[in-house]
Amino acid sequence: MTESTIAIIGGTGLTSLNGLEITRREVMHTPYGEPSGPLTHGVLAGRRVVFLARHGYGHTIPPHRINYRANIWALKNAGIHRVVAVAAVGGITREMHPPRLVFPDQIIDYTWSRGHTFFEEDLSHVTHVDFTHPYDEGLRQALIQGARGIGIDAVERGTYAATQGPRLETGAEIDRLERDGCDLVGMTGMPEAALARELDLAYATCAVVANWAAGRGEGAGEISMEEVNRNVSQGMDNVRRLLETVIPTL
């Protein structure tokens, strides 16, 4: 059986992975502090994988307090080469309706004060990393083809707005994001994607549209947590089906 080279980072609604035969849990200590939790090693669809719950296994770490550097460093040092990042998001543009899956191809970073790079201390030279295409296209296409193959309703491209959180956005902020060209909004896409690029990890996001963003959708009223939970539950069922299909092909 192939060694673990694939990691799945679970977001809201995916703190565990049904179908994962757990073989061991590994506590990692990093130069950047503690990750969100132990790395869960296991077998999914006949392939060794590593699972990490981004918000902690009890979903207790808010987006702005996640130690993204520790998480990505830990995965890299566990021998990971590919990362499928699962995230719950809000839909901005018309086709981003709940509970669709989306495989974004671009991202805009609106976060601040997060540890966003490995290249800042004890450098022999200044390091710049190309981020023109923030998601690995090969991995993104594998997710797209997997979704097509099992008939999942998915959007195959879009721009992800990464906001600070933990509060949700105002209607005016969502209007601004749409003017900037954003299609969906979440709180964990950055600096996770950029840190993965700095460590040469192939990284792609599978986003579940949990709700219409502020001021969007029918009625454009307040965002209902009951509706969010219902959409996340339905969307994550599709994510699990997708992972079981795609993981053996990677």
Side-chain angles (χ1 to χ4, degrees), residues 155-185:
V155 184
E156 298 180 0
R157 63 179 58 251
T159 297
Y160 178 126
T163 58
Q164 180 72 356
R167 70 165 176 84
L168 299 175
E169 299 74 31
T170 69
E173 287 171 332
I174 295 300
D175 289 342
R176 173 203 174 192
L177 297 182
E178 186 169 20
R179 288 194 298 271
D180 285 352
C182 299
D183 300 289
L184 58 156
V185 58

Side-chain angles (χ1 to χ4, degrees), residues 10 24 29 59 61 63 74 80 95 114 118 121 166 170-171 196 201 237:
R24 64 187 175 97
H29 302 287
H59 200 265
I61 309 172
I80 295 301
E95 65 177 342
R114 301 181 180 190
F118 294 107
E121 294 181 358
T170 69
L201 298 179
D237 285 344

Side-chain angles (χ1 to χ4, degrees), residues 111-123:
T111 67
W112 67 89
S113 72
R114 301 181 180 190
H116 65 279
T117 182
F118 294 107
F119 300 131
E120 60 182 4
E121 294 181 358
D122 302 320
L123 301 178

Side-chain angles (χ1 to χ4, degrees), residues 73-177:
W73 189 97
L75 293 176
K76 175 71 173 184
N77 280 268
I80 295 301
H81 299 297
R82 300 179 183 88
V83 177
V84 176
V86 181
V89 300
I92 298 175
T93 51
R94 183 174 302 174
E95 65 177 342
M96 304 293 174
H97 60 76
R100 297 188 90 178
L101 300 191
V102 184
F103 308 114
D105 62 329
Q106 281 295 330
I107 194 165
I108 301 177
D109 187 8
Y110 299 92
T111 67
W112 67 89
S113 72
R114 301 181 180 190
H116 65 279
T117 182
F118 294 107
F119 300 131
E120 60 182 4
E121 294 181 358
D122 302 320
L123 301 178
S124 59
H125 60 279
V126 174
T127 302
H128 300 287
V129 175
D130 178 73
F131 205 49
T132 305
H133 303 288
Y135 301 104
D136 181 81
E137 190 60 20
L139 188 53
R140 215 177 65 81
Q141 287 298 324
L143 293 170
I144 290 169
Q145 296 304 320
R148 287 178 181 173
I150 57 176
I152 290 177
D153 179 30
V155 184
E156 298 180 0
R157 63 179 58 251
T159 297
Y160 178 126
T163 58
Q164 180 72 356
R167 70 165 176 84
L168 299 175
E169 299 74 31
T170 69
E173 287 171 332
I174 295 300
D175 289 342
R176 173 203 174 192
L177 297 182

